[in-house]
Amino acid sequence: MKQFAEWLSTTPPSVFIQDHNAWVIPTIQSIHIAGIGVVLGSAFFIYLRILGWAGTDQTLRETVNRYGPWLTGALWVMLATGILMVIGEPVRELVTFSFWAKMILVAAMAAAAVRFQRADLEGLPSRRLVRSLAILTFLIWVCIIILGRLIAYDHVWGSWSPATKA
Amino acid sequence: MIDQFLKWLASTALATNIRESLLLFPLLESAHVFSLALVVGTILVVDLRLLGLASAQRPFERVASDTFKWTWGAFALTAATGLLMFTTNAPVYYHNFYFRAKMMLLLAAGVNMLIFELSRRSVERIGKAVAIASLTLWLAVIFMGRMIGFTTTRAAEVKPPPTQNFDDFLK
């Protein structure tokens, strides 16, 4: 992976981003953060509806139809900006424990989000189960945000971090 | 006067503890990103409703009352985490261009909100302009916030001893 990251950092797109990093990287990161806002905000209102804390004038199906497409749409934006960040700083991103742990959680949550939007929401098994899953998955989103930030501080993982071995 | 205050702020036990901790600063940053994402995410819902691009069939008042308390709660957390990060290197942040620009933009976003609140009866007329101003200002706030991180360094970068990391939690 380190070799791949080092090769990637010599490719023209990566060199372009590195040469213009005074504004390219902060701009990409800002779009990525705005994407977090859309994903987390959308998920948040679906969770609030499940818990009955907001949006109770709408059915769960109406709420999911309102916020679901924004959530998945923003995930695509985050994938695109995320890939650009990897191209721009391959070693900083790929040679870390935090990045790969984050990717596993993101893949799981994206799959869960798509599955949930297609589910038969009227015939959900039990309200308690759905509420518990809502709280659990919200905490996973929080972990994803923390792991994203920890990419810059991967040394906190000690021997789990490939960066500290290098 | 202000410089002395900022120096004192950075020398407090609170600021020192955050600065010298392995995890506190990254966790504060994470909490800041989490809460600002909720601020922007919830404001976006209201702005898109004002623009008629989403939730168009729901009454505006209903969308707003469902949203604002969460926006304010998240804003309080964003401000608190931001202030704690500020203390760790107060003199540097205070003189940073992007920090000042961010504060001005936050102020402008606040004024924008106030104008809207004071003219609630003419939502139809000014709603769209307020929404566009709000979206632009918040995106600019995010960008300035990110630039602060690129143009300042943590005071006294902490290089933790090899024993002070995740491995210790596993022992």
Side-chain angles (χ1 to χ4, degrees):
Chain A
M1 185 49 65
K2 186 145 196 294
Q3 278 170 329
F4 170 74
E6 275 163 2
W7 166 80
L8 187 60
S9 67
T10 62
T11 58
S14 182
V15 171
F16 175 84
I17 296 176
Q18 290 163 43
D19 286 346
H20 299 80
N21 66 3
W23 60 272
V24 174
I25 292 206
T27 304
I28 297 169
Q29 291 183 348
S30 299
I31 299 170
H32 201 72
I33 293 173
I36 301 175
V38 178
V39 170
L40 196 68
S42 305
F44 188 65
F45 281 110
I46 295 173
Y47 292 140
L48 290 178
R49 179 63 192 83
I50 290 172
L51 298 171
W53 293 353
T56 42
D57 56 323
Q58 306 260 292
T59 65
L60 180 55
R61 174 43 74 192
E62 284 170 329
T63 309
V64 170
N65 288 348
R66 157 67 183 84
Y67 295 107
W70 286 86
L71 194 157
T72 22
L75 280 178
W76 286 109
V77 173
M78 302 198 64
L79 179 66
T81 48
I83 289 172
L84 286 174
M85 277 148 66
V86 168
I87 292 174
E89 298 179 299
V91 176
R92 177 185 177 269
E93 304 272 347
L94 296 178
V95 190
T96 61
F97 171 77
S98 310
F99 176 84
W100 294 105
K102 177 180 173 179
M103 287 309 106
I104 291 167
L105 291 183
V106 167
M109 288 300 284
V114 171
R115 177 71 188 80
F116 179 71
Q117 287 182 46
R118 289 181 186 160
D120 169 21
L121 298 177
E122 273 68 47
L124 287 172
S126 93
R127 278 180 65 153
R128 252 184 81 188
L129 178 72
V130 176
R131 285 172 179 225
S132 313
L133 281 175
I135 293 166
L136 175 75
T137 50
F138 187 71
L139 292 176
I140 297 177
W141 286 121
V142 174
C143 289
I144 289 173
I145 292 176
I146 296 173
L147 285 170
R149 196 70 283 261
L150 285 181
I151 292 171
Y153 300 92
D154 211 55
H155 59 259
V156 302
W157 296 109
S159 62
W160 286 35
S161 166
T164 52
K165 282 182 195 136
Chain B
M1 177 63 193
I2 182 84
D3 281 323
Q4 269 170 326
F5 170 73
L6 294 168
K7 254 188 193 167
W8 168 80
L9 196 60
S11 71
T12 55
L14 180 71
T16 311
N17 282 332
I18 299 171
R19 208 165 40 230
E20 291 177 356
S21 152
L22 175 71
L23 273 175
L24 274 181
F25 199 86
L27 288 181
L28 279 173
E29 287 180 315
S30 303
H32 197 67
V33 172
F34 165 79
S35 51
L36 90 84
L38 282 182
V39 169
V40 173
T42 54
I43 284 179
L44 182 68
V45 169
V46 175
D47 288 345
L48 289 174
R49 174 64 188 81
L50 285 173
L51 292 168
L53 294 176
S55 307
Q57 78 292 353
R58 288 179 78 194
F60 174 77
E61 287 303 329
R62 182 73 216 218
V63 175
S65 69
D66 255 2
T67 309
F68 280 144
K69 53 177 181 272
W70 304 104
T71 309
W72 280 113
F75 185 79
L77 182 60
T78 318
T81 50
L83 186 65
L84 286 171
M85 291 192 288
F86 179 83
T87 63
T88 63
N89 205 358
V92 170
Y93 288 124
Y94 179 77
H95 290 287
N96 181 271
F97 168 78
Y98 296 101
F99 175 79
R100 293 184 166 196
K102 181 176 174 178
M103 292 304 114
M104 289 297 130
L105 288 165
L106 278 175
L107 192 67
V111 170
N112 185 48
M113 247 171 133
L114 192 67
I115 292 172
F116 182 69
E117 285 299 322
L118 295 177
S119 49
R120 269 290 181 92
R121 278 185 208 132
S122 44
V123 166
E124 300 299 319
R125 207 154 41 79
I126 64 159
K128 285 194 165 64
V130 166
I132 289 168
S134 162
L135 288 175
T136 315
L137 287 167
W138 283 106
L139 283 177
V141 165
I142 292 176
F143 181 75
M144 295 304 166
R146 202 66 283 270
M147 285 304 289
I148 296 170
F150 278 90
T151 51
T152 58
T153 46
R154 277 173 78 183
E157 186 65 42
V158 187
K159 270 281 170 208
T163 51
Q164 186 197 353
N165 55 44
F166 189 64
D167 293 327
D168 303 313
F169 293 98
L170 297 176
K171 272 178 199 150

